[in-house]
Every structure is written in C-alpha cells, then in structure tokens.
C-alpha cells in the first residue's frame, strides 16, 4: 500500500501595519469645544493597534490648558509658503494612551482665548493654513499615512490640496482620504475671490462641481467632492442629510455621492464615563446598586447648586452647547408650564446669548427648581449625568449626540427628539412590551415635547418599577467604541486595499 505523505509547509507572514492619520481642529484631552473633540480623543485609542498605526494632528492653540501644553515637546520647525507669505510651522509632539499626537504651531493663527473666533474670514485662513501645514509636515515627521481621516469643514481642504497639489510628488501619491461630517451646519464659506487668494488654488477649482456653492467658496464641499469616502456619525443622519431639510444646501452633492457615504454611530469612552469608577462624582454606583446609590448624587448636587432638597423631585439634566441646533426654543416655550410640575432642571453649558439669558432668567424666576450654570466644567457634567433622573435633548437636528450615550451609561433616562443619532441610540419606551431605554417624540413641537416629558414623569412617579427597568436596559446597552471602531477599520481596509 502506498503511503501518503502530507507535507505541511509552515508559512510565516508579516502583518503590514496600515497607517492612518486623523486631522482635526480639536481633540480631548488637549482642547474641546464640542463632541468632535470627544470622538477625536477616543476613537484612535480604540482602533486595533495590531493592524493600524493611528496618529493625530491638531493645532497648538495658545488657549490650551497649561498642564496640556506641558505635555508637548518641540520637535522642529520650518517655513511654508502660504498666502503670499512665508509662514512659521512649528511641530510639537505628545503621546497619550499609546496614540501619537502632532501639533502645528503658529501663534498668529492659533492665538486667542478660544479655539474659534467669530471672524469667518480669519477662520478660513487659519484652517487653510492648518490643512496645508498638516500635509507639509508629513515628510518632516517621517510618517506617510495610507489614509488621512479628516473631520469637519476645518479639514475640508486636505483632500483638495492632496489630490490637486501634493499627489504629483512621490511621497503623497496614492494617499486616500475620508471626510467625516460631524455637523453639516458648519461649512467654512466665504467669497470665491478671497478664498482663491488665501488657498492659492487656481480659478478652475471654484466651479459648482468643486468648491463653489451658491456663489461662495465652500471648504467642506471641497472635502466632500475630493474625499475617497464620506462618513457621518449615525445612520439616520446619513439619510437625513440627503434631504433638503437637513442637507444645508449640500443635499444634492450628498445624493450624488450616496454610494460613498455611510453612517457610523459614535461611541463614548467607557473608561472615562463609568459611574463605578468616576472620580468626579460623590457616590459611585453600578447597574446592580443604582436604585439605592444614584439618589445620593442627586442629594449632593441639590446641595451644591442650591436646589430644593428633595429626593423625590424628578431631576432633568441638560449638558450642551447652547445653540439653536439643540432645541432650546422648544424648552423656552414650555418652561413656565413645565416648572408647575414637581421637577428640577439643571443646565450646564455656554453658547448663544439668547439661550444663556433664557436659562439665567428661569433660574431667577424658579430658584430652587432651576439651576443655570452658564460655563463649562467636565466635573460638573459628570455630576449631572450621575445625579439626574432624566436627560433632555430635544434637538432640531443631531448628527449623533454623545450626551444621551453618557446618560444611558449613568442610568439617566434620555428624553429626545427622534432625529439623527438620537433616533438610532435611544429606543423609545413601550409600556405594553416592556421595552425601551428612553422617551422620544417625533415633531419639532414644544407641546409634543412637553407631553413626552409628562409621560416620563408619570412613569417616574407612578410606576417606579417600570422606570427602574428602563434604567436597567439603558445601563445594559453597549455604546462603547468597539463595534463602531471595527466599522471604521473595515472601511480603512476597503479603501487602502
Ligand atoms: C457634533 C454634532 C454631534 C456629534 C458630535 C461628534 O458636535 O453636533 O451630534 O455627536 O459632533 O460626532
């Protein structure tokens, strides 16, 4: 009988690391004005380091906290042609949680008490400089990314410059780009004439199929036209922005690029937002003991903010940029009615003056029931998530929204309008099936919202067991990054090949 020999060859292979570069105008823990910073600070950490080398470029703002500036080390500098001048480009470095950060320094652009100013033209010039500098530093830091992941309008020029200016050079050839929309409302628009001068791009870029939109130059549009793929931060928002209501004038383009557009819902950092270990809150708790422990935080916060001491009063939290997007017109409209109920309302955030003053007014009028904290504090935000019974987020539009995810994590029941990421992440309570993690309403209508809040009050006061089960389900939901980070990785793989 013949013998059958099977040779097993042993192959060895090397995993080729794919190099990804995030470029954004803000990122936690260095600088934050909104949810963009949370995403830029938490997503890179969660991308699998076995297969991907992810690095991040941010501006070095002079308004960064000193303790953060102390973490940066100077690497080098050079001068770059920009807007008829030779501009200084400093490069600094830092490493946080295994992710390498680079900072672009130029104090004439990145000075001021805040990252962003009200001078739209200056903002355009500042971020045009940032985009060009971000590409120019790559050979200097010796990092040739396979893909550049751009975030919001401030980085919209990167795909444009890359495709039309840089890809002639060997180093840049073949680099892919992704443009992520965190908020379509902000696009970086200014007159064609001036943007042409600032960017140095020739006239033929400023046509309707490229950077021009409604007679202006539009930097986000440039990014959306030139990027290899487009993402936004929830499935529902990815659909909504193809319509005229949510499309902010770019719905036609987004429809045309629908095949390259996908929604990937944001996650949150489950280490930073964890009621069991959170150092910012007075009483730590978890899904097993929240029924007893959570209320202790409410008591402490009532005392800290001068609210009436009342364990029973349903506390509604709001932590937000105070802008029209967030639905504050609805709240202003029904605030007097709502304050007749046994509720307390705690607000934290800054933004448009009319909303800041609106909340100050109601704090004065219903002192003891309403607490308006018109500033921003990370520590207080955590206390509000931990102390409130419900969290109110009636947004007009919401690309993803992170506060509702933080609320779910802290056993605080979200009350939201069914739009964008709010619709995708909060499952409405169904009393017949015993399902759901929050409460929601459909139309942008103040009394529809009030009706929903009052329905939530009814469950809270009259059906406490049901309420607690809603909390149980919310705390069990998983909005950590690992599911969404995989989706980004799949997209990177697919684009890089
Ligand atoms: C913007 C959006 C918000 C989103 C965040 C992060 O702030 O308004 O909905 O969660 O970006 O993607």
């Amino acid at each position: 009988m013949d013998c059958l020999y099977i040779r097993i060859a042993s192959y060895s292979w090397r995993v080729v690391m794919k190099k990804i570069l995030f470029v954004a105008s803000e990122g936690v823990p260095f600088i934050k004005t909104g949810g963009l910073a949370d995403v830029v600070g938490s997503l890179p950490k969660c991308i699998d380091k076995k297969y991907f080398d992810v690095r991040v470029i941010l501006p070095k703002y002079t308004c960064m906290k000193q303790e953060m500036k102390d973490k940066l080390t100077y690497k080098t500098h050079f001068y770059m042609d920009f807007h008829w001048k030779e501009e200084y480009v400093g490069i600094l470095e830092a490493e946080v949680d295994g992710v390498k950060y680079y900072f672009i320094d130029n104090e004439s652009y990145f000075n001021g008490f805040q990252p962003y100013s009200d001078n739209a033209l200056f903002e355009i010039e500042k971020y045009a400089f940032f985009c060009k500098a971000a590409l120019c530093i790559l050979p200097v830091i010796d990092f040739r990314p396979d893909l550049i992941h751009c975030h919001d309008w401030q980085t919209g020029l990167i795909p444009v410059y890359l495709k039309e200016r840089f890809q002639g050079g060997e180093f840049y050839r073949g680099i892919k780009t992704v443009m992520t929309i965190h908020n379509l409302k902000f696009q970086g628009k200014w007159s064609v004439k001036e943007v042409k001068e600032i960017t140095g791009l020739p006239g033929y870029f400023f046509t309707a199929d490229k950077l021009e939109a409604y007679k202006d130059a539009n930097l986000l549009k440039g990014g959306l036209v030139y990027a290899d793929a487009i993402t936004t931060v929830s499935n529902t928002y990815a659909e909504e922005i193809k319509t005229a209501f949510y499309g902010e004038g770019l719905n036609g383009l987004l429809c045309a690029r629908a095949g390259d557009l996908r929604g990937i819902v944001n996650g949150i950092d489950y280490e930073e937002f964890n009621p069991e270990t959170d150092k910012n809150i007075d009483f730590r708790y978890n899904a097993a003991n929240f029924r007893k422990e959570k209320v202790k935080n409410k008591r402490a916060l009532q005392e800290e903010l001068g609210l009436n001491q009342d364990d029973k009063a349903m506390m509604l939290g709001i932590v937000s940029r105070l802008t029209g997007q967030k639905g504050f017109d609805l709240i202003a409209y029904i605030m007097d009615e709502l304050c007749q109920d046994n509720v307390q309302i705690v607000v934290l955030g800054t933004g448009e003056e009319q909303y800041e003053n609106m909340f100050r007014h109601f704090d004065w009028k219903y002192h003891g029931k309403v607490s308006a904290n018109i500033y921003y504090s990370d520590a207080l935000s955590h206390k509000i998530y931990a102390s409130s019974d419900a969290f109110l987020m009636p947004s007009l539009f919401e690309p993803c929204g992170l506060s509702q995810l933080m609320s779910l994590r802290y056993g605080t029941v979200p009350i939201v309008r069914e739009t964008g990421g709010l619709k995708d992440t909060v499952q409405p309570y169904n009393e017949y099936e015993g399902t759901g993690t929050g409460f929601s309403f459909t139309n942008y209508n103040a009394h529809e919202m009030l009706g929903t809040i009052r329905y939530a009050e009814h469950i809270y006061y009259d059906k406490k067991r049901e309420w607690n089960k809603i909390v149980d389900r919310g705390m069990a939901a998983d909005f950590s990054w690992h599911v969404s980070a995989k989706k980004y990785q799949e997209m990177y793989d697919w684009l890089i090949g």
Side-chain angles (χ1 to χ4, degrees):
M1 200 182 148
D2 289 343
C3 285
L4 180 68
Y5 289 100
I6 304 173
R7 269 189 76 193
I8 302 174
S10 63
Y11 293 103
S12 68
W13 65 89
R14 210 161 47 91
V15 178
V16 181
M17 287 277 249
K18 291 177 177 155
K19 295 180 185 156
I20 310 293
L21 177 69
F22 275 52
V23 186
S25 57
E26 53 182 281
V28 164
F30 297 100
I31 186 86
K32 167 171 169 171
T33 72
L36 166 64
D38 289 304
V39 173
V40 171
S42 53
L43 173 58
K45 283 197 272 188
C46 301
I47 302 279
D48 195 336
K49 293 194 180 56
K50 283 203 294 294
Y51 305 104
F52 296 93
D53 177 355
V54 185
R55 306 191 189 182
V56 183
I57 297 184
L58 298 172
K60 181 187 171 272
Y61 298 106
T62 50
C63 63
M64 261 162 51
K65 283 204 193 103
Q66 192 56 42
E67 62 175 293
M68 285 301 144
K69 285 191 205 157
D70 292 343
K71 289 194 181 354
L72 316 186
T73 49
Y74 167 84
K75 199 169 156 66
T76 183
H77 74 269
F78 58 91
Y79 286 84
M80 177 183 88
D81 269 355
F82 180 73
H83 197 201
W84 318 117
K85 294 180 297 258
E86 290 274 289
E87 282 289 353
Y88 173 87
V89 179
I91 307 174
L92 295 93
E93 276 184 350
E95 195 167 318
V96 181
D97 296 329
V99 178
K100 195 153 211 179
Y101 286 79
Y102 300 96
F103 295 82
I104 293 179
D105 183 23
N106 178 310
E107 292 201 353
S108 59
Y109 286 121
F110 303 127
N111 61 4
F113 297 114
Q114 287 167 350
Y116 311 125
S117 75
D118 292 334
N119 180 344
L121 177 58
F122 179 66
E123 293 300 289
I124 299 255
E125 184 174 333
K126 170 160 104 187
Y127 290 106
F129 165 79
F130 178 57
C131 288
K132 192 170 178 189
L135 289 170
C136 284
I137 71 166
L138 300 178
V140 182
I141 60 174
D142 193 22
F143 185 70
R144 187 219 171 259
D146 297 297
L147 184 145
I148 305 181
H149 191 158
C150 307
H151 298 266
D152 274 354
W153 79 264
Q154 291 88 346
T155 56
L157 276 176
I158 288 183
V160 183
Y161 276 141
L162 185 66
K163 286 265 168 64
E164 295 295 331
R165 284 280 145 127
F166 284 76
Q167 288 213 332
E170 183 75 27
F171 182 88
Y172 295 93
R173 198 162 301 141
I175 297 179
K176 301 281 192 232
T177 51
V178 173
M179 187 81 231
T180 292
I181 304 168
H182 294 265
N183 196 333
L184 193 57
K185 180 111 190 144
F186 306 107
Q187 301 181 358
K189 299 186 254 193
W190 199 257
S191 78
V192 168
K193 185 173 164 286
E194 275 162 298
V195 175
K196 202 157 56 176
E197 276 170 24
I198 290 169
T199 57
L201 292 166
Y204 59 83
F205 279 90
F206 298 90
T207 52
D209 58 334
K210 299 190 184 74
L211 265 71
E212 188 265 354
Y214 308 98
K215 305 233 172 348
D216 276 335
N218 182 318
L219 301 198
L220 179 66
K221 182 175 178 190
L224 297 175
V225 168
Y226 281 90
D228 295 293
I230 302 169
T231 73
T232 187
V233 288
S234 68
N235 274 320
T236 294
Y237 195 60
E239 291 307 313
E240 286 173 341
I241 55 178
K242 289 184 266 179
T243 68
F245 185 81
Y246 292 100
E248 303 287 345
L250 295 181
N251 42 303
L253 169 61
L254 291 161
C255 284
R257 293 219 61 188
D260 304 310
L261 165 66
R262 69 184 84 188
I264 303 178
V265 75
N266 287 331
I268 55 169
D269 187 329
Y270 262 38
E271 278 169 30
E272 192 191 339
F273 296 97
N274 181 356
E276 215 168 355
T277 54
D278 192 334
K279 298 215 166 55
N280 296 300
I281 65 178
D282 295 316
F283 300 94
R284 290 181 261 287
Y285 59 95
N286 58 31
N289 65 16
F290 76 87
R291 286 172 174 76
K292 283 223 169 79
E293 297 302 309
K294 190 169 157 56
V295 68
K296 295 182 184 168
N297 287 298
K298 176 154 84 178
R299 235 173 261 158
L301 190 66
Q302 285 170 337
E303 188 168 353
E304 182 178 334
L305 301 179
L307 289 161
N308 301 336
Q309 290 285 306
D310 180 355
D311 281 4
K312 295 242 157 57
M314 178 167 149
M315 184 184 276
L316 287 162
I318 297 174
V319 177
S320 181
R321 286 181 288 118
L322 302 181
T323 65
Q325 168 194 341
K326 301 292 180 177
F328 295 120
D329 294 326
L330 301 189
I331 295 179
Y333 201 75
I334 54 85
M335 199 66 175
D336 280 313
E337 277 176 83
L338 179 60
C339 287
Q340 308 312 311
D341 300 357
N342 185 24
V343 295
Q344 296 188 342
I345 299 157
V346 179
V347 182
L348 174 66
T350 61
E352 289 165 30
E353 218 176 305
Q354 70 182 106
Y355 301 121
E356 294 187 346
N357 289 339
M358 182 266 284
F359 283 120
R360 285 189 186 111
H361 166 78
F362 286 113
D363 180 320
W364 164 80
K365 189 165 177 187
Y366 299 104
H367 205 70
K369 289 190 92 163
V370 177
S371 168
N373 304 277
I374 309 301
Y375 58 92
Y376 188 75
S377 148
D378 250 351
L380 183 58
S381 76
H382 285 237
K383 285 183 187 174
I384 295 175
Y385 293 123
S387 309
S388 304
D389 298 293
F391 192 88
L392 189 55
M393 226 173 148
S395 304
L396 174 60
F397 67 92
E398 196 59 77
C400 176
L402 299 172
S403 298
Q404 82 279 16
L405 305 181
M406 295 158 188
S407 300
L408 289 167
R409 178 88 168 134
Y410 282 76
T412 299
V413 177
I415 302 176
V416 303
R417 182 168 166 258
E418 289 157 11
T419 184
L422 297 174
K423 186 170 173 189
D424 294 352
T425 57
V426 177
Q427 193 195 359
Y429 173 56
N430 181 322
E431 62 183 38
Y432 305 103
E433 292 175 357
T435 55
T437 56
F439 294 84
S440 63
F441 61 100
T442 312
N443 296 298
Y444 194 70
N445 175 303
H447 280 92
E448 200 172 313
M449 175 184 75
L450 183 61
T452 306
I453 297 173
R454 286 193 164 150
Y455 177 48
E457 285 177 42
H458 162 62
I459 304 299
Y460 178 81
Y461 287 115
D462 309 330
K463 297 188 170 178
K464 204 40 169 277
R465 285 171 137 249
E466 281 299 301
W467 180 271
N468 284 335
K469 285 190 206 157
I470 300 175
V471 176
D472 281 333
R473 289 189 290 270
M475 290 185 88
D478 183 0
F479 288 104
S480 65
W481 267 109
H482 63 262
V483 178
S484 296
K486 278 212 185 78
K487 293 191 180 159
Y488 280 108
Q489 289 173 200
E490 279 160 22
M491 179 182 65
Y492 298 153
D493 279 332
W494 170 73
L495 286 166
I496 297 167

PDB file of all heavy atoms in Angstrom, residues 34-36 39 152 181-183 233 266 321 325-326 397-402, ligand 1:
ATOM      1  N   GLY A  34     -16.673  70.803  21.721  1.00  0.00           N
ATOM      2  CA  GLY A  34     -17.885  70.022  21.483  1.00  0.00           C
ATOM      3  C   GLY A  34     -17.580  68.546  21.284  1.00  0.00           C
ATOM      4  O   GLY A  34     -16.455  68.081  21.541  1.00  0.00           O
ATOM      5  N   GLY A  35     -18.590  67.834  20.784  1.00  0.00           N
ATOM      6  CA  GLY A  35     -18.492  66.382  20.640  1.00  0.00           C
ATOM      7  C   GLY A  35     -17.386  65.917  19.698  1.00  0.00           C
ATOM      8  O   GLY A  35     -16.843  64.820  19.862  1.00  0.00           O
ATOM      9  N   LEU A  36     -17.046  66.757  18.721  1.00  0.00           N
ATOM     10  CA  LEU A  36     -15.957  66.411  17.811  1.00  0.00           C
ATOM     11  C   LEU A  36     -14.700  66.030  18.596  1.00  0.00           C
ATOM     12  O   LEU A  36     -14.020  65.038  18.291  1.00  0.00           O
ATOM     13  CB  LEU A  36     -15.681  67.614  16.890  1.00  0.00           C
ATOM     14  CG  LEU A  36     -14.384  67.601  16.092  1.00  0.00           C
ATOM     15  CD1 LEU A  36     -14.371  66.445  15.101  1.00  0.00           C
ATOM     16  CD2 LEU A  36     -14.187  68.921  15.357  1.00  0.00           C
ATOM     17  N   VAL A  39     -14.804  62.557  20.072  1.00  0.00           N
ATOM     18  CA  VAL A  39     -14.603  61.494  19.078  1.00  0.00           C
ATOM     19  C   VAL A  39     -13.120  61.405  18.695  1.00  0.00           C
ATOM     20  O   VAL A  39     -12.535  60.318  18.680  1.00  0.00           O
ATOM     21  CB  VAL A  39     -15.480  61.757  17.824  1.00  0.00           C
ATOM     22  CG1 VAL A  39     -15.165  60.759  16.727  1.00  0.00           C
ATOM     23  CG2 VAL A  39     -16.953  61.692  18.204  1.00  0.00           C
ATOM     24  N   ASP A 152     -14.759  67.376   9.721  1.00  0.00           N
ATOM     25  CA  ASP A 152     -15.460  68.657   9.620  1.00  0.00           C
ATOM     26  C   ASP A 152     -14.756  69.680   8.701  1.00  0.00           C
ATOM     27  O   ASP A 152     -13.671  69.438   8.195  1.00  0.00           O
ATOM     28  CB  ASP A 152     -15.723  69.236  11.010  1.00  0.00           C
ATOM     29  CG  ASP A 152     -17.038  68.687  11.600  1.00  0.00           C
ATOM     30  OD1 ASP A 152     -17.760  67.978  10.872  1.00  0.00           O
ATOM     31  OD2 ASP A 152     -17.338  68.976  12.765  1.00  0.00           O
ATOM     32  N   ILE A 181     -18.357  63.947   8.499  1.00  0.00           N
ATOM     33  CA  ILE A 181     -19.202  65.109   8.829  1.00  0.00           C
ATOM     34  C   ILE A 181     -19.719  64.929  10.256  1.00  0.00           C
ATOM     35  O   ILE A 181     -20.501  64.016  10.525  1.00  0.00           O
ATOM     36  CB  ILE A 181     -20.421  65.195   7.885  1.00  0.00           C
ATOM     37  CG1 ILE A 181     -19.988  65.240   6.419  1.00  0.00           C
ATOM     38  CG2 ILE A 181     -21.299  66.386   8.247  1.00  0.00           C
ATOM     39  CD1 ILE A 181     -21.144  65.029   5.437  1.00  0.00           C
ATOM     40  N   HIS A 182     -19.283  65.812  11.142  1.00  0.00           N
ATOM     41  CA  HIS A 182     -19.835  65.795  12.497  1.00  0.00           C
ATOM     42  C   HIS A 182     -20.997  66.768  12.594  1.00  0.00           C
ATOM     43  O   HIS A 182     -21.844  66.639  13.473  1.00  0.00           O
ATOM     44  CB  HIS A 182     -18.763  66.160  13.526  1.00  0.00           C
ATOM     45  CG  HIS A 182     -17.681  65.140  13.598  1.00  0.00           C
ATOM     46  ND1 HIS A 182     -17.681  64.119  14.521  1.00  0.00           N
ATOM     47  CD2 HIS A 182     -16.579  64.943  12.836  1.00  0.00           C
ATOM     48  CE1 HIS A 182     -16.610  63.362  14.339  1.00  0.00           C
ATOM     49  NE2 HIS A 182     -15.928  63.837  13.307  1.00  0.00           N
ATOM     50  N   ASN A 183     -20.982  67.751  11.742  1.00  0.00           N
ATOM     51  CA  ASN A 183     -22.077  68.709  11.741  1.00  0.00           C
ATOM     52  C   ASN A 183     -22.071  69.459  10.419  1.00  0.00           C
ATOM     53  O   ASN A 183     -21.184  70.267  10.157  1.00  0.00           O
ATOM     54  CB  ASN A 183     -21.905  69.692  12.906  1.00  0.00           C
ATOM     55  CG  ASN A 183     -23.187  70.447  13.176  1.00  0.00           C
ATOM     56  OD1 ASN A 183     -24.008  70.629  12.272  1.00  0.00           O
ATOM     57  ND2 ASN A 183     -23.368  70.886  14.398  1.00  0.00           N
ATOM     58  N   VAL A 233     -21.930  60.581  11.468  1.00  0.00           N
ATOM     59  CA  VAL A 233     -21.819  59.902  12.751  1.00  0.00           C
ATOM     60  C   VAL A 233     -23.064  59.139  13.222  1.00  0.00           C
ATOM     61  O   VAL A 233     -23.129  58.736  14.379  1.00  0.00           O
ATOM     62  CB  VAL A 233     -21.316  60.897  13.817  1.00  0.00           C
ATOM     63  CG1 VAL A 233     -19.842  61.205  13.582  1.00  0.00           C
ATOM     64  CG2 VAL A 233     -22.112  62.208  13.785  1.00  0.00           C
ATOM     65  N   ASN A 266     -21.292  57.108  16.639  1.00  0.00           N
ATOM     66  CA  ASN A 266     -20.208  57.326  17.600  1.00  0.00           C
ATOM     67  C   ASN A 266     -20.358  56.439  18.819  1.00  0.00           C
ATOM     68  O   ASN A 266     -21.470  56.044  19.195  1.00  0.00           O
ATOM     69  CB  ASN A 266     -20.228  58.768  18.110  1.00  0.00           C
ATOM     70  CG  ASN A 266     -19.758  59.758  17.079  1.00  0.00           C
ATOM     71  OD1 ASN A 266     -18.955  59.430  16.214  1.00  0.00           O
ATOM     72  ND2 ASN A 266     -20.251  60.988  17.173  1.00  0.00           N
ATOM     73  N   ARG A 321     -23.875  72.490  24.283  1.00  0.00           N
ATOM     74  CA  ARG A 321     -23.596  73.800  23.717  1.00  0.00           C
ATOM     75  C   ARG A 321     -24.951  74.481  23.594  1.00  0.00           C
ATOM     76  O   ARG A 321     -25.912  73.849  23.133  1.00  0.00           O
ATOM     77  CB  ARG A 321     -22.990  73.643  22.307  1.00  0.00           C
ATOM     78  CG  ARG A 321     -21.569  73.180  22.277  1.00  0.00           C
ATOM     79  CD  ARG A 321     -21.056  73.068  20.843  1.00  0.00           C
ATOM     80  NE  ARG A 321     -21.638  71.931  20.136  1.00  0.00           N
ATOM     81  CZ  ARG A 321     -22.401  72.018  19.054  1.00  0.00           C
ATOM     82  NH1 ARG A 321     -22.680  73.183  18.512  1.00  0.00           N
ATOM     83  NH2 ARG A 321     -22.881  70.937  18.470  1.00  0.00           N
ATOM     84  N   GLN A 325     -29.425  74.511  17.375  1.00  0.00           N
ATOM     85  CA  GLN A 325     -29.490  73.102  16.970  1.00  0.00           C
ATOM     86  C   GLN A 325     -30.111  72.209  18.055  1.00  0.00           C
ATOM     87  O   GLN A 325     -30.736  71.201  17.782  1.00  0.00           O
ATOM     88  CB  GLN A 325     -28.064  72.617  16.667  1.00  0.00           C
ATOM     89  CG  GLN A 325     -27.944  71.118  16.511  1.00  0.00           C
ATOM     90  CD  GLN A 325     -26.493  70.621  16.558  1.00  0.00           C
ATOM     91  OE1 GLN A 325     -25.562  71.373  16.372  1.00  0.00           O
ATOM     92  NE2 GLN A 325     -26.325  69.330  16.779  1.00  0.00           N
ATOM     93  N   LYS A 326     -29.915  72.601  19.313  1.00  0.00           N
ATOM     94  CA  LYS A 326     -30.214  71.688  20.415  1.00  0.00           C
ATOM     95  C   LYS A 326     -31.660  71.747  20.905  1.00  0.00           C
ATOM     96  O   LYS A 326     -32.009  71.084  21.882  1.00  0.00           O
ATOM     97  CB  LYS A 326     -29.253  71.945  21.568  1.00  0.00           C
ATOM     98  CG  LYS A 326     -27.784  71.773  21.187  1.00  0.00           C
ATOM     99  CD  LYS A 326     -27.435  70.311  20.888  1.00  0.00           C
ATOM    100  CE  LYS A 326     -25.972  70.149  20.504  1.00  0.00           C
ATOM    101  NZ  LYS A 326     -25.594  68.747  20.286  1.00  0.00           N
ATOM    102  N   PHE A 397     -31.763  69.094  14.981  1.00  0.00           N
ATOM    103  CA  PHE A 397     -31.035  68.035  14.267  1.00  0.00           C
ATOM    104  C   PHE A 397     -29.888  67.593  15.150  1.00  0.00           C
ATOM    105  O   PHE A 397     -29.427  68.354  16.005  1.00  0.00           O
ATOM    106  CB  PHE A 397     -30.544  68.503  12.891  1.00  0.00           C
ATOM    107  CG  PHE A 397     -29.487  69.562  12.922  1.00  0.00           C
ATOM    108  CD1 PHE A 397     -28.145  69.232  12.902  1.00  0.00           C
ATOM    109  CD2 PHE A 397     -29.834  70.910  12.986  1.00  0.00           C
ATOM    110  CE1 PHE A 397     -27.167  70.219  12.948  1.00  0.00           C
ATOM    111  CE2 PHE A 397     -28.854  71.899  13.025  1.00  0.00           C
ATOM    112  CZ  PHE A 397     -27.520  71.543  13.005  1.00  0.00           C
ATOM    113  N   GLU A 398     -29.465  66.371  15.007  1.00  0.00           N
ATOM    114  CA  GLU A 398     -28.394  65.857  15.860  1.00  0.00           C
ATOM    115  C   GLU A 398     -27.623  64.771  15.121  1.00  0.00           C
ATOM    116  O   GLU A 398     -28.064  63.625  15.025  1.00  0.00           O
ATOM    117  CB  GLU A 398     -28.993  65.272  17.144  1.00  0.00           C
ATOM    118  CG  GLU A 398     -27.983  65.073  18.252  1.00  0.00           C
ATOM    119  CD  GLU A 398     -27.294  66.385  18.642  1.00  0.00           C
ATOM    120  OE1 GLU A 398     -27.915  67.209  19.346  1.00  0.00           O
ATOM    121  OE2 GLU A 398     -26.141  66.584  18.207  1.00  0.00           O
ATOM    122  N   PRO A 399     -26.470  65.146  14.554  1.00  0.00           N
ATOM    123  CA  PRO A 399     -25.697  64.160  13.782  1.00  0.00           C
ATOM    124  C   PRO A 399     -25.500  62.842  14.544  1.00  0.00           C
ATOM    125  O   PRO A 399     -25.756  61.770  14.016  1.00  0.00           O
ATOM    126  CB  PRO A 399     -24.382  64.890  13.540  1.00  0.00           C
ATOM    127  CG  PRO A 399     -24.783  66.347  13.491  1.00  0.00           C
ATOM    128  CD  PRO A 399     -25.877  66.487  14.504  1.00  0.00           C
ATOM    129  N   CYS A 400     -25.041  62.936  15.769  1.00  0.00           N
ATOM    130  CA  CYS A 400     -25.030  61.734  16.611  1.00  0.00           C
ATOM    131  C   CYS A 400     -25.546  62.104  17.988  1.00  0.00           C
ATOM    132  O   CYS A 400     -26.554  61.606  18.440  1.00  0.00           O
ATOM    133  CB  CYS A 400     -23.629  61.118  16.732  1.00  0.00           C
ATOM    134  SG  CYS A 400     -23.661  59.717  17.875  1.00  0.00           S
ATOM    135  N   GLY A 401     -24.830  63.021  18.645  1.00  0.00           N
ATOM    136  CA  GLY A 401     -25.173  63.311  20.037  1.00  0.00           C
ATOM    137  C   GLY A 401     -24.403  62.334  20.906  1.00  0.00           C
ATOM    138  O   GLY A 401     -24.381  61.123  20.625  1.00  0.00           O
ATOM    139  N   LEU A 402     -23.747  62.853  21.916  1.00  0.00           N
ATOM    140  CA  LEU A 402     -22.991  61.974  22.813  1.00  0.00           C
ATOM    141  C   LEU A 402     -23.601  61.983  24.204  1.00  0.00           C
ATOM    142  O   LEU A 402     -23.539  60.987  24.929  1.00  0.00           O
ATOM    143  CB  LEU A 402     -21.527  62.434  22.880  1.00  0.00           C
ATOM    144  CG  LEU A 402     -20.777  62.416  21.535  1.00  0.00           C
ATOM    145  CD1 LEU A 402     -19.416  63.078  21.676  1.00  0.00           C
ATOM    146  CD2 LEU A 402     -20.635  60.993  21.013  1.00  0.00           C
TER     147      LEU A 402
HETATM  148  C1  LIG B   1     -21.118  67.414  16.601  1.00  0.00           C
HETATM  149  C2  LIG B   1     -22.585  67.028  16.480  1.00  0.00           C
HETATM  150  C3  LIG B   1     -22.945  65.898  17.449  1.00  0.00           C
HETATM  151  C4  LIG B   1     -21.943  64.762  17.329  1.00  0.00           C
HETATM  152  C5  LIG B   1     -20.524  65.284  17.519  1.00  0.00           C
HETATM  153  C6  LIG B   1     -19.466  64.215  17.382  1.00  0.00           C
HETATM  154  O1  LIG B   1     -20.909  68.082  17.812  1.00  0.00           O
HETATM  155  O2  LIG B   1     -23.431  68.134  16.681  1.00  0.00           O
HETATM  156  O3  LIG B   1     -24.236  65.400  17.171  1.00  0.00           O
HETATM  157  O4  LIG B   1     -22.210  63.788  18.312  1.00  0.00           O
HETATM  158  O5  LIG B   1     -20.258  66.276  16.549  1.00  0.00           O
HETATM  159  O6  LIG B   1     -19.559  63.495  16.186  1.00  0.00           O
END
